[in-house]
Amino acid sequence: MNKNMFTSFLIKYGEIGVKGKNRYLFENALMAQIRYALKRIEGEFRVHKAEGRVYVDALSEFDFDEAVGALKCVFGITGICPMMFREDEGFDKLKEEIVDYVRKVHPDREGRTFKVNAKRARKSYPLESMEINALIGELLLEEYPELKVDVHNPDIMLYIEIREKIYIYSQIIPGPGGMPVGTNGKAMLLLSGGIDSPVAGYMIAKRGVKIDAVYFHAPPYTSERAKEKVVELAREVSAYCGPIYLHVVNFTDIQLAIYEKCPHDELTIIMRRYMMKIAEHIARETECLGLVTGESIGQVASQTMASLLVTNEVCTLPVFRPCIGMDKQEIITISENIGTYETSILPYEDCCTIFVAKHPVTKPNLDIIKRHEHNLDEVIDGLMEEALKTEELIIVHK
Ligand code: ATP
Ligand code: MG
């Protein structure tokens, strides 16, 4: 197929929740995200709304596959229709172009069915929609006897739209679905270097939620490389959700204090509680409406139902855990599809592995945990304040 013939894309998006005033917000957020996605590829594009639809027009040479790849990262898009558009140079010329179009775009025609779906938006055009359907249908049957007509369930639906110019399209490349980022507030993702949390961020962003992130590192127990890995993961997720404000919090002193003063089998769970507390603090300061983690029930000791209860207890913001019911393999499959897997499996240690106990509690008791946390009373407020004061903000984008 000659992909150079396409100079425009019609963007299809779900109609649910796109009524009234919401429609305009939805479309504007969608166009903003499309522009963001296209900025990272070669070529100049115009993203605009016309006749209540969203179009992407190429204003320069561009790589078709790259453009489709970028559009596939934009939540809210359900279908991407590559379009050929032509000046109106009369019906005979249009016939020639359509014959040519079908030959190039649908080279495998044997035994396939089609239907012509013409729409005359410009009422001054000399032929009515039904006439165009009949004439072009006949023409294609003559030119390509291997094709058959099926008006109910055609393999090829050939759209011809007569507007100022004439649009021809027949393919719908599936988009990612979801809702445009920016239509549903903002959440704070606890992003570690693992497989699960980038997937969790992706899934929440897919519902239209803008994502900020927080990463806890513990130098020198965790390396600069481990931090770079998290920055890279944030960059990969930002391909879908737009720029991410990544808050890097130095967790070393808090971790050491817990290590020194609390039972070792409770280290992870107590650490997790302080991570959530700090994350929530930053979330509130940055107008996030919830926290997001990559937790999945039973995956490790700190993610049993009992552990999740204890972790959750420190938060008042809702905590969203989109991986909660997934098996590891299901999470891996998503991470492969969205392109974060290869980075996630790079071997740099994360801040938990250093301090992991041999036999962490799997059924922590909230009262006991709280009692042991009192061992930190003298130091913890100062340490938390220091951690917040020294946070590093990195703005990450694809
Ligand atoms: P992941 O694959 O996302 O790292 P995991 O299976 O390693 O998850 P845990 O280490 O138990 O699981 O972490 C559970 C969740 O806690 C993570 O998904 C993440 O949201 C959060 N988390 C863990 N460690 C950190 C960290 N160092 N910084 C920020 N968030 C973290
Ligand atoms: Mg982890």
Side-chain angles (χ1 to χ4, degrees):
M1 178 171 74
N2 180 1
K3 292 170 176 169
N4 288 336
M5 59 201 290
F6 299 113
T7 49
S8 253
F9 297 94
L10 165 65
I11 303 299
K12 300 223 174 224
Y13 47 88
E15 297 292 323
I16 299 165
V18 193
K19 301 260 151 62
K21 184 172 103 224
N22 285 343
R23 180 181 186 100
Y24 147 92
L25 293 173
F26 186 101
E27 288 171 341
N28 285 0
L30 183 72
M31 291 197 293
Q33 287 302 123
I34 292 174
R35 290 189 187 105
Y36 174 78
L38 291 171
K39 239 183 0 206
R40 60 177 177 268
I41 67 166
E42 290 278 332
E44 243 194 277
F45 300 90
R46 186 164 89 98
V47 182
H48 64 109
K49 220 170 10 178
E51 305 105 17
R53 302 201 300 195
V54 170
Y55 296 94
V56 175
D57 297 337
L59 304 177
S60 68
E61 297 274 302
F62 71 104
D63 184 284
F64 180 87
D65 293 326
E66 254 182 22
V68 170
L71 291 170
K72 279 184 163 183
C73 293
V74 179
F75 295 130
I77 296 182
T78 54
I80 303 157
C81 308
M83 295 196 310
M84 182 167 92
F85 75 115
R86 290 285 184 260
E87 298 294 337
D88 180 8
E89 296 178 62
F91 194 64
D92 285 340
K93 180 74 179 162
L94 179 64
K95 279 168 41 182
E96 259 172 54
E97 277 167 348
I98 286 174
V99 168
D100 191 49
Y101 174 95
V102 171
R103 181 169 51 76
K104 286 178 179 156
V105 178
H106 300 287
D108 306 321
R109 291 179 294 269
E110 197 53 57
R112 301 193 75 199
T113 58
F114 78 100
K115 173 181 176 176
V116 181
N117 191 332
K119 182 167 167 191
R120 186 182 62 156
R122 169 156 51 94
K123 296 299 172 202
S124 63
Y125 196 76
L127 295 169
E128 285 180 22
S129 304
M130 294 306 275
E131 291 175 296
I132 302 172
N133 287 343
L135 290 168
I136 300 290
E138 255 168 54
L139 171 74
L140 290 175
L141 286 173
E142 236 165 70
E143 287 290 328
Y144 304 118
E146 64 275 28
L147 284 176
K148 286 195 198 62
V149 171
D150 180 346
V151 291
H152 299 297
N153 197 13
D155 300 322
I156 302 166
M157 181 73 98
L158 179 68
Y159 292 91
I160 303 170
E161 296 190 2
I162 315 279
R163 300 184 182 279
E164 207 42 53
K165 292 185 182 178
I166 297 178
Y167 299 76
I168 301 161
Y169 65 96
S170 61
Q171 293 171 294
I172 303 181
I173 302 165
M179 302 178 69
V181 170
T183 53
N184 249 328
K186 187 165 71 166
M188 180 64 70
L189 168 67
L190 282 87
L191 182 62
S192 64
I195 295 168
D196 311 328
S197 46
V199 169
Y202 168 91
M203 291 182 69
I204 294 296
K206 185 171 177 185
R207 301 310 306 159
V209 179
K210 190 170 162 20
I211 298 290
D212 279 352
V214 55
Y215 166 60
F216 297 93
H217 73 151
Y221 303 98
T222 60
S223 63
E224 196 58 23
R225 301 277 294 278
K227 180 175 125 188
E228 284 310 314
K229 173 182 167 180
V230 172
V231 172
E232 182 52 31
L233 284 171
R235 186 172 296 125
E236 285 156 4
V237 175
S238 78
Y240 303 92
C241 68
I244 293 179
Y245 283 57
L246 174 65
H247 303 260
V248 179
V249 173
N250 187 326
F251 204 58
T252 311
D253 290 342
I254 295 176
Q255 217 165 355
L256 287 172
I258 300 171
Y259 191 69
E260 199 182 303
K261 296 177 192 294
C262 300
H264 287 186
D265 61 349
E266 291 171 4
L267 275 182
T268 310
I269 200 84
I270 294 176
M271 252 171 44
R272 190 70 87 236
R273 280 164 58 89
Y274 283 105
M275 282 186 184
M276 296 294 261
K277 256 187 217 175
I278 294 173
E280 175 162 293
H281 185 94
I282 301 173
R284 286 194 183 282
E285 286 197 328
T286 53
E287 292 171 1
C288 290
L289 303 176
L291 301 177
V292 181
T293 78
E295 289 160 313
S296 156
I297 293 175
Q299 196 185 80
V300 287
S302 59
Q303 297 176 30
T304 63
M305 286 292 282
S307 297
L308 289 167
L309 181 146
V310 172
T311 313
N312 206 74
E313 193 263 347
V314 298
C315 298
T316 49
L317 282 179
V319 182
F320 301 114
R321 302 176 169 92
C323 302
I324 199 72
M326 288 198 254
D327 292 343
K328 193 75 189 183
Q329 188 52 51
E330 294 174 284
I331 303 172
I332 289 174
T333 302
I334 299 177
S335 93
E336 285 170 337
N337 289 339
I338 67 175
T340 53
Y341 183 69
E342 292 302 321
T343 307
S344 286
I345 59 173
L346 293 173
Y348 313 120
E349 75 290 349
D350 73 32
C351 90
C352 312
T353 48
I354 306 280
F355 293 90
V356 182
K358 283 210 181 60
H359 301 290
V361 283
T362 53
K363 289 199 189 75
N365 174 295
L366 185 57
D367 294 332
I368 298 173
I369 297 281
K370 279 181 164 174
R371 196 178 326 131
H372 290 149
E373 279 179 354
H374 281 305
N375 299 350
L376 300 164
D377 280 352
E378 278 173 26
V379 293
I380 196 67
D381 288 347
L383 291 177
M384 297 237 292
E385 210 171 291
E386 186 63 20
L388 285 165
K389 221 166 56 192
T390 57
E391 82 153 56
E392 179 192 2
L393 179 63
I394 306 175
I395 300 174
V396 185
H397 56 86
K398 188 76 181 174

